[in-house]
Amino acid sequence: GENVEQHPSTLSVQEGDSAVIKCTYSDSASNYFPWYKQELGKRPQLIIDIRSNVGEKKDQRIAVTLNKTAKHFSLHITETQPEDSAVYFCAASVLSGSARQLTFGSGTQLTVLP
Amino acid sequence: NAGVTQTPKFRVLKTGQSMTLLCAQDMNHEYMYWYRQDPGMGLRLIHYSVGEGTTAKGEVPDGYNVSRLKKQNFLLGLESAAPSQTSVYFCASSYGRATYGYTFGSGTRLTVV
């Protein structure tokens, strides 16, 4: 099955700096890569996603890049703010039998220091 | 439009007790999933369903059973709870085979003592 590895597990940045979280996946058939943000005690919420026919996608301060050849994708947050502090999960989606399943990375705790 | 609703939000069980977690969605999603979240391990898939009356095993199905008698509901059962099942459980739903993200419920924090 699919295996998703995420690094780093913790990341601290100064407010206003950029943050980068990286993920690798194992199944070359994966073709959809969402990123979720989970604030403490809350549910994961989709913040951005990218499909395998696109190399980069941007939404205001967040962007995701995908390198299909190397099987890795990254989340970039610019001009970080204290409210960006949360756990971020990457995921990869592969069609398995009749179902499309998401396999998640282990998460990155991002702390933005004021 | 409530999205995905999970009940209960918190529960404490004694080892060997049984319980059922309910997930309800009002978005007419075909696919529904149960995940468990443990520190440092991300979200791991327990069971999923691709439609009413269907269920399938995920990555960590042992000790759990599920049922999808109605399209909008997906139940997760623990027949004989064990301390290793202490976790936060999330239900999610999606449109199906298309490449869409999941909508998650608010989670159930289960402690087995």
Side-chain angles (χ1 to χ4, degrees):
Chain A
E2 175 65 281
N3 182 46
V4 177
E5 297 199 355
Q6 183 172 347
H7 300 280
S9 57
T10 61
L11 178 61
S12 293
V13 299
Q14 290 294 136
E15 183 177 356
D17 287 350
S18 295
V20 180
I21 302 170
K22 299 181 179 181
C23 290
T24 61
Y25 62 98
S26 60
D27 192 336
S28 57
S30 290
N31 62 357
Y32 174 65
F33 307 91
W35 286 87
Y36 287 84
K37 175 183 180 182
Q38 186 178 27
E39 296 176 348
L40 188 63
K42 300 288 182 64
R43 73 190 76 191
Q45 297 209 310
L46 179 68
I47 56 171
I48 195 167
D49 56 14
I50 191 167
R51 290 167 175 75
S52 60
N53 58 347
V54 176
E56 184 174 0
K57 183 177 179 180
K58 189 174 181 179
D59 182 4
Q60 298 183 342
R61 296 187 297 108
I62 60 173
V64 57
T65 59
L66 172 65
N67 183 327
K68 285 190 298 181
T69 302
K71 289 191 281 188
H72 67 70
F73 56 113
S74 300
L75 178 71
H76 304 253
I77 306 174
T78 59
E79 301 173 14
T80 54
Q81 302 168 3
E83 53 265 37
D84 294 330
S85 295
V87 178
Y88 291 81
F89 291 98
C90 63
S93 173
V94 63
L95 199 58
S96 176
S98 61
R100 178 165 296 283
Q101 297 181 22
L102 281 181
T103 300
F104 288 85
S106 55
T108 296
Q109 173 69 62
L110 174 64
T111 302
V112 180
L113 305 169
Chain B
N1 188 336
V4 179
T5 303
Q6 285 183 239
T7 53
K9 295 189 184 304
F10 304 94
R11 186 73 185 268
V12 178
L13 283 180
K14 293 183 179 179
T15 298
Q17 287 185 320
S18 63
M19 77 163 295
T20 300
L21 283 68
L22 171 64
C23 177
Q25 54 94 5
D26 60 3
M27 298 173 287
N28 202 33
H29 284 172
E30 287 293 331
Y31 285 21
M32 297 185 74
Y33 311 84
W34 277 106
Y35 283 86
R36 60 177 290 171
Q37 184 175 35
D38 302 294
M41 302 186 73
L43 292 136
R44 293 182 292 167
L45 182 64
I46 305 171
H47 286 280
Y48 64 96
S49 168
V50 302
E52 181 178 318
T54 73
T55 63
K57 294 180 180 180
E59 179 187 355
V60 289
D62 294 342
Y64 306 94
N65 56 76
V66 288
S67 64
R68 183 110 180 259
L69 299 180
K70 294 182 178 181
K71 184 178 182 178
Q72 63 267 35
N73 296 337
F74 194 29
L75 280 64
L76 177 71
L78 287 74
E79 291 186 346
S80 180
S84 60
Q85 294 178 303
T86 293
S87 188
V88 179
Y89 292 85
F90 284 99
C91 175
S93 68
S94 74
Y95 283 108
R97 292 172 65 89
T99 51
Y100 292 102
Y102 294 178
T103 300
F104 281 90
S106 57
T108 296
R109 184 172 294 276
L110 175 66
T111 302
V112 183
V113 298

